[in-house]
């Protein structure tokens, strides 16, 4: 019984190469993508050409291109992500799309792929994108809840309802579910996170040395610094400047990422004298049978660098 | 007496007849139809046939009323039109108030039970980047740097889960297959050589594997997409032999002494004895789809193979000379393709396996009995596994969407550290011969070296000096 008798479909034989997608994938498109020779360069070029920021409804070109990339390039999750980034940044100041469902969904899909979307949500709020959309508030509250900021999540649901975000049923349903989960969490609290070992060690605490009060008479030439003391301890909200751009992931993380170095400059460590190098390797314990046609062809003169011969 | 004998004979005949009609020695992985239907009947309390109404979903009182009211409405005569209309309106209002307006006489299916309030589908983690599970964090006694020590460019590295394109040999050389070319990089000196290029059309290299052990460290086995396995002498840069035996690409290789096992898309494993002319000495048949993971145990007694049909199969080494050998154990707990397979260097018979996108679990097995010891849900596709040769730790490489390497404490399976840096999914992991560095190949076309396993304890006195000297090299 040969396994090749019943040939599995193309999507099954390459099922691990398709990035998981929330809405699922179309089988026919998957088969085509994993098929013999997917020739979609023309389609990609066509889509790229259609992208622009002018026109009647330029957002439509972006959404169709993103959908196309997701379905027809299942392995390459990065392409769709970068396209969404471009789209979000291109239209961030565009008034007509501020509460457009497709545009808000574009932002939320972008946030789904970020590790830390809190800043992104705050940026969206500042730019007033999606404030009337229940999906925005629900997504923000869900991410906050998952990180453990339960109070923040509760406030977000309330704020969403205040702003009159639509559809309201979605907000109320998600809020009810959130409250049920909060009750559950109180009943079975999760195990506490272990604290780092070094910080809990008992050490004799040294009392801070008291600085002698400098009398105004002794300071002489320089007057002591006057600090305004607020009796009521009211928070003073300073006006926050405008936040012009969120920036692409690559720009924001460019100092945290390490680019590749050329191979020849990147030796790992000094070679151990005991470890066998290529040239000094002892022949194997068994004799390898050499094929006739491999013996007949003369071995090409090795042009390896001199270091290999050491 | 004779009657008893006749009865016995009759029973024997019946038994024979039954054996002929129901052959039990035919091994088939497909359940017979009668068994399937019996299971269906016992499983579901609701009927699967859409033309048979479900009694439990029908409200008989409503149905009776609807049927009787439709009969009565046609029978009243001799009434004026207005009073008939008024009665109709009154009846309609009553019906709307008391009964379900959309009620039908027959109902065909019941709705699925609603989830409990507040339930969040745990599959959400599959489609979003953040891991929302609270995993236990184990404490580590040593410092594990969070950033890779080296990043190398690997253009044209094929982004295919099923291939094994990197191998780190005992001679401290890394072999990397980029498209149709295999490059050998000496990790000690930094020298790089181009070993071979496949020139037949759009052939590409599918797997590479160094001959393990201190002796014979210069031999590299290469599997190609044409189905042939080549053995190269790297120091002399020449091919020693070309071995056939597969009908499709050879995506994984594993060495056991002089026996090279190769497996690929045709779902068979072929054992090659590289010392003799007729190299194909045995084969293993059992998998249904492409085999992507292959690993011999350190003591050389068992071969583990994982395939796209979600099975892990264990084969005994005693029968490597047999054609069409059957597996000793077939482990079907995974629900996705299994590529990551790693034998524990500390405990005999312990095998770790990692599942793909739909499964996302790392499972630990006792290979001699085939029992599952432990199972951990990691939250993303597991592409590769590597054991720490010194400590009891396991490193796993992951895919969508965090692309991290996770270090687990064994046997508690608590996550010690996540090493992030790859912007594309991790495809393969290789451990250095001194057991301190791990190389990870990513779909973002980079190779990253992580010093996550700690340095060898014998060099404790010299480690500080070595670290300092390494620091100097880095700065330059």
């Amino acid at each position: 019984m040969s396994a090749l008798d019943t040939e599995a479909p193309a999507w099954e034989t390459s099922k691990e190469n398709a990035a998981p997608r929330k809405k699922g994938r179309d089988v026919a498109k998957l088969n085509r993508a994993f098929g013999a020779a997917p020739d979609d360069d023309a389609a990609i070029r066509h889509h790229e050409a259609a992208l622009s920021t002018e026109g009647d409804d330029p957002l439509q070109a972006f959404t169709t291109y993103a959908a196309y990339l997701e379905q027809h390039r299942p392995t390459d999750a990065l392409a769709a992500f970068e396209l969404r980034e471009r789209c979000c940044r291109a239209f961030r100041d565009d008034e007509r799309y501020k509460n457009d469902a497709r545009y808000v969904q574009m932002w939320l899909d972008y946030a789904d792929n970020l590790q830390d979307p809190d800043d992104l949500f705050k940026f969206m709020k500042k730019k007033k994108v999606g404030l009337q959309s229940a999906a925005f508030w629900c997504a923000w509250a869900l991410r906050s809840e998952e990180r453990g900021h339960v109070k923040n999540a509760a406030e977000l649901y309330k704020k969403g309802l205040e702003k009159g975000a639509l559809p309201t049923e979605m907000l109320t349903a998600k809020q009810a579910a959130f409250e049920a989960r909060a009750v559950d969490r109180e009943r079975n609290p999760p195990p506490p996170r272990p604290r780092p070992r070094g910080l809990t060690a008992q050490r004799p605490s040294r009392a801070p040395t008291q600085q002698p009060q400098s009398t105004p008479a002794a300071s002489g030439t320089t007057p002591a610094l006057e600090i305004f003391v607020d009796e009521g301890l009211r928070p003073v909200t300073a006006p926050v400047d405008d936040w012009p751009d969120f920036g692409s992931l690559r720009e924001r993380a460019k100092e945290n990422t390490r680019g590749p170095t050329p191979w020849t400059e990147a030796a790992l460590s000094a070679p151990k004298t005991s470890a066998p190098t290529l040239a000094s390797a002892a022949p194997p314990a068994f004799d390898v049978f050499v094929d006739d046609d491999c013996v007949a062809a003369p071995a090409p003169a090795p042009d390896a660098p001199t270091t290999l011969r050491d | 007496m004779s009657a008893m004998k006749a009865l016995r004979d009759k029973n024997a005949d019946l038994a024979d007849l039954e054996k002929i009609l129901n052959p039990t020695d035919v091994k088939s992985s497909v359940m017979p139809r009668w068994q399937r239907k019996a299971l269906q009947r016992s499983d579901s309390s609701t009927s699967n046939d859409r033309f048979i109404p479900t009694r439990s979903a029908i409200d008989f009182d409503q149905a009776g009323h609807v049927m009787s009211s439709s009969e009565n409405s046609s029978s009243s005569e001799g009434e004026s039109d207005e009073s008939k209309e008024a009665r109709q309106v009154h009846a309609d209002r009553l019906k709307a108030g008391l009964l379900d307006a959309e009620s039908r006489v027959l109902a065909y299916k019941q709705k699925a039970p609603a989830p409990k309030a507040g339930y969040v589908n745990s599959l959400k983690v599959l489609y979003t980047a953040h891991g929302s599970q609270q995993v236990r964090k184990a404490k580590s006694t040593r410092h594990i740097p969070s950033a890779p020590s080296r990043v190398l460019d690997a253009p044209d590295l094929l982004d295919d889960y099923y291939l094994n394109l990197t191998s780190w040999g005992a001679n401290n050389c890394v072999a990397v297959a980029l498209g149709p070319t295999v490059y050998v990089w000496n990790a000690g000196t930094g020298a790089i050589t181009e070993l071979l290029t496949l020139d037949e059309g759009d052939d590409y290299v599918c797997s590479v594997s160094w001959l393990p052990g201190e002796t014979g460290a210069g031999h590299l086995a290469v599997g190609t997409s044409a189905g042939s396995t080549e053995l190269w002498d790297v120091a002399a840069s020449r091919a020693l032999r070309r071995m056939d035996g597969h009908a499709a690409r050879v995506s994984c290789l594993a060495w056991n002494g002089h026996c090279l096992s190769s497996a690929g898309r045709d779902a068979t494993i072929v054992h090659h004895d590289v010392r003799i002319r007729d190299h194909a000495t045995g084969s293993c048949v059992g998998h249904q789809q492409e085999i992507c993971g292959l690993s011999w145990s350190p003591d050389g007694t068992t071969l583990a193979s994982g395939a796209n049909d979600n099975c892990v199969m264990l084969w005994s080494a005693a029968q490597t000379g047999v054609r069409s050998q059957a597996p000793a154990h077939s482990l079907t707990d995974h629900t996705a393709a299994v590529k990551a397979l790693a034998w524990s260097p500390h405990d005999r018979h312990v095998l770790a396996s990692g599942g793909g996108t739909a499964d996302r679990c790392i499972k630990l097995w006792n290979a001699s009995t085939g029992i599952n010891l432990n199972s951990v849900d990691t939250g993303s596709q597991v592409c590769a596994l590597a054991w720490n040769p010194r400590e009891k730790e396991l490193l796993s490489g992951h895919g969508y969407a965090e692309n991290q390497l996770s270090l687990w404490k064994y046997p508690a399976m608590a996550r010690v550290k996540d090493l992030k840096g790859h912007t594309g999914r991790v495809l393969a992991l290789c451990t250095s011969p001194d057991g301190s560095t791990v190389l990870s190949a990513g779909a973002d076309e980079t190779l990253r070296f992580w010093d996550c396993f700690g340095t060898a304890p014998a060099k404790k006195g010299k480690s500080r000096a070595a670290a300092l000297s390494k620091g100097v090299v880095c700065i330059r």
Side-chain angles (χ1 to χ4, degrees):
Chain A
M1 198 236 330
S2 161
L4 288 177
D5 283 347
T6 49
E7 193 67 50
W11 66 264
E12 167 91 30
T13 51
S14 307
K15 67 186 184 209
E16 293 303 327
N17 284 334
R21 194 168 164 260
K22 222 187 267 192
K23 297 183 196 118
R25 294 182 176 279
D26 186 4
V27 174
K29 291 183 185 139
L30 256 190
N31 278 331
R32 215 174 316 136
F34 287 134
D39 190 19
D40 53 356
D41 285 336
I44 297 274
R45 273 198 300 271
H46 166 76
H47 275 112
E48 286 275 349
L51 296 180
S52 78
T53 43
E54 291 98 37
D56 222 3
D57 189 16
L59 185 65
Q60 189 56 36
F62 279 94
T63 36
T64 42
Y65 187 24
Y68 176 83
L69 276 180
E70 278 214 317
Q71 293 278 8
H72 292 260
R73 288 270 175 95
T75 38
D76 194 5
L78 196 63
F81 173 76
E82 295 203 323
L83 174 73
R84 289 213 169 87
E85 211 169 41
R86 262 170 68 187
C87 174
C88 294
R89 296 178 67 207
F91 296 112
R92 66 183 181 276
D93 290 321
D94 202 329
E95 286 301 326
R96 55 200 163 140
Y97 289 139
K98 282 274 154 82
N99 283 306
D100 191 320
R102 303 167 297 168
Y103 186 52
V104 175
Q105 193 54 43
M106 192 73 92
W107 276 98
L108 295 181
D109 286 338
Y110 176 52
D112 263 347
N113 285 315
L114 290 180
Q115 307 293 333
D116 190 6
D118 270 340
D119 282 341
L120 184 79
F121 288 127
K122 283 184 199 150
F123 180 72
M124 281 173 79
K125 186 163 168 244
K126 183 131 185 83
K127 291 282 172 185
K128 300 194 180 16
V129 172
L131 293 188
Q132 305 299 322
S133 159
F136 164 66
W137 295 103
C138 291
W140 194 354
L142 189 65
R143 293 300 283 266
S144 296
E145 184 192 343
E146 274 161 7
R147 297 174 70 98
H149 309 311
V150 176
K151 274 194 219 122
N152 195 23
E155 275 177 25
L156 285 169
Y157 281 118
K158 279 195 213 110
K159 234 185 256 179
L161 285 168
E162 268 170 44
K163 300 262 180 184
L166 305 170
T168 336
E169 305 84 39
M170 181 186 187
L171 256 183
T172 44
K174 292 267 159 88
Q175 191 181 26
F178 161 73
E179 269 151 27
R181 282 197 297 275
V183 166
D184 253 346
R185 223 175 286 124
E186 267 174 56
R187 238 181 273 144
N188 328 325
R193 293 171 63 178
R195 287 209 242 130
R197 272 168 35 153
L199 296 180
T200 54
Q202 292 293 327
R203 280 214 184 92
S205 57
R206 295 195 207 102
T209 52
Q210 292 287 342
Q211 295 282 349
Q213 295 274 357
S214 55
T215 55
S219 42
T221 47
T222 55
L225 188 63
E226 289 190 8
I227 301 172
F228 171 72
V229 175
D230 191 354
E231 297 299 326
L233 281 178
R234 279 162 305 170
V236 178
T237 49
V240 178
D241 290 334
D242 188 32
W243 190 352
D245 190 11
F246 192 62
S248 69
L249 186 64
R250 219 170 274 204
E251 279 169 27
R252 274 180 280 133
K254 73 175 192 280
E255 290 308 320
N256 284 342
T257 49
R258 194 183 168 133
T261 54
W263 293 56
T264 45
E265 293 172 14
L268 273 189
S269 56
K272 293 194 294 203
T273 45
S274 57
T277 55
L278 263 184
S280 70
F286 49 87
D287 286 326
V288 176
F289 174 85
V290 183
D291 272 350
D292 298 332
D293 45 359
C294 294
V295 169
D303 49 0
T306 49
T307 48
L308 278 180
R309 294 193 185 279
D310 290 345
Chain B
M1 192 67 170
S2 62
M4 291 271 285
K5 189 163 175 281
L7 201 64
R8 231 182 294 131
D9 285 340
K10 206 175 173 186
N11 284 345
D13 284 341
L14 270 176
D16 282 336
L17 196 62
E18 267 190 38
K19 227 190 249 179
I20 292 168
L21 290 178
N22 306 330
T24 46
D25 52 358
V26 169
K27 284 203 182 68
S28 167
S29 57
V30 179
M31 212 186 294
R33 189 174 185 278
W34 60 267
Q35 209 174 347
R36 229 172 35 240
K37 293 292 175 190
L39 257 183
Q40 257 185 7
R41 257 177 270 131
S42 61
D43 267 353
S44 59
S45 51
T46 60
S47 164
N48 288 329
D49 193 333
R50 61 198 162 141
F51 294 119
I52 298 177
T54 319
R55 287 196 138 233
S56 44
I58 298 175
D59 185 348
F60 286 103
D61 298 330
Q62 266 193 32
H65 171 81
V66 167
M67 286 179 62
S68 57
S69 62
S70 63
E71 282 169 21
N72 285 341
S73 60
S74 55
S75 61
S76 59
E77 289 179 24
E79 286 189 21
S80 63
D81 282 333
E82 293 90 4
S83 61
K84 211 194 268 184
E85 253 190 56
R87 197 142 64 89
Q88 190 60 39
V89 167
H90 177 68
D92 283 341
R93 283 214 190 114
L94 260 183
K95 209 194 266 184
L98 295 174
L99 305 174
D100 191 4
E102 296 283 325
S103 69
R104 291 163 177 266
V105 174
L106 294 175
Y108 291 96
K109 54 184 172 177
Q110 285 185 341
K111 286 213 179 117
K116 77 172 187 334
Y119 172 72
V120 174
N121 193 350
S122 62
L123 281 183
K124 250 191 189 334
V125 72
L126 179 62
Y127 305 116
T128 50
H130 52 286
S132 54
Q133 320 158 50
Q134 298 285 335
V135 282
R136 279 185 297 161
K137 278 239 167 196
K139 292 170 278 201
S140 158
T141 51
R142 67 173 190 276
H143 168 66
I144 304 168
S146 317
S149 61
R150 291 281 183 286
V151 178
L152 298 183
D153 206 12
D156 286 343
L157 187 72
L158 285 169
D159 180 13
D160 196 337
Y161 179 84
Y162 302 94
L163 307 181
N164 297 282
L165 299 175
T166 53
S167 177
W168 203 333
N171 48 7
N172 207 18
C173 286
V174 175
V176 176
L178 302 176
T181 321
V182 174
Y183 292 94
V184 173
W185 178 65
N186 191 328
T189 60
I192 179 169
T193 37
E194 180 182 327
L195 178 66
L196 65 97
T197 305
L198 297 176
D199 39 359
E200 287 283 322
D202 28 298
D203 266 0
Y204 52 93
V205 177
C206 302
S207 53
V208 289
S209 180
W210 287 99
L211 179 58
E214 302 276 319
T215 55
H219 288 71
L220 182 71
V222 176
T224 64
S225 62
S228 69
T229 315
E230 301 184 3
L231 189 61
W232 282 74
D233 181 350
V234 179
S237 277
R238 72 179 183 111
L240 292 177
R241 45 186 329 185
R242 289 192 172 81
M243 301 180 281
D244 288 330
H246 284 283
R249 71 176 184 187
V250 177
S251 37
C252 28
L253 298 165
W255 283 96
N256 183 19
H258 56 82
C259 169
L260 170 66
S261 306
S262 60
R265 199 173 248 174
D266 61 352
T268 50
I269 306 172
V270 178
H271 301 293
H272 305 273
D273 187 337
V274 298
R275 303 169 301 180
I276 56 181
R277 179 184 290 271
D278 296 326
H279 51 86
T281 50
S283 65
C284 302
V285 171
H287 282 294
Q288 310 285 322
Q289 291 184 35
E290 176 162 16
I291 299 174
C292 33
L294 200 64
S295 182
W296 275 101
S297 63
D299 54 8
T301 55
T302 321
L303 173 67
S305 64
N308 198 26
D309 58 359
N310 311 351
C311 287
V312 176
M313 293 199 176
L314 300 170
W315 315 83
S316 150
Q319 300 187 317
T320 37
V322 175
R323 300 230 164 252
S324 301
Q325 178 192 357
H329 293 283
S330 179
L331 313 168
T332 51
D333 284 24
H334 281 286
T335 55
V338 181
K339 176 189 175 188
L341 289 171
W343 291 90
S344 165
H346 314 291
D347 301 318
R348 213 163 160 228
H349 298 311
V350 170
L351 171 70
S353 64
T357 316
D359 183 52
R360 309 179 298 278
C361 286
I362 298 177
K363 292 189 195 279
L364 295 160
W365 310 87
N366 180 336
S368 55
T369 54
I371 294 177
N372 184 2
L373 301 170
N374 201 348
S375 174
V376 182
D377 190 352
T378 59
S380 50
Q381 177 190 53
V382 182
C383 308
L385 288 172
W387 288 90
N388 188 340
R390 282 181 286 274
E391 313 267 336
K392 289 207 162 190
E393 285 172 354
L394 179 62
L395 184 72
S396 59
H398 293 273
Y400 315 107
E402 281 187 32
N403 311 322
Q404 86 279 21
L405 281 83
S406 291
L407 192 62
W408 305 83
K409 192 83 193 153
Y410 174 77
M413 291 314 282
R415 209 189 285 247
V416 171
K417 185 127 189 178
D418 277 348
L419 301 171
K420 299 194 185 159
H422 274 289
T423 52
R425 62 181 175 157
V426 177
L427 293 171
L429 286 179
C430 303
T431 318
S432 65
D434 61 357
S436 61
T437 317
V438 169
L439 150 69
S440 65
D444 53 357
E445 296 181 348
T446 56
L447 300 174
R448 288 172 204 249
F449 293 83
W450 311 84
D451 291 328
C452 50
F453 283 168
T455 46
K459 289 203 183 289
K460 234 188 198 139
K462 296 185 199 164
S463 64
R464 197 155 177 272
L468 279 177
S469 64
K470 209 201 279 191
V472 170
V473 168
C474 282
I475 288 170
R476 292 212 189 113

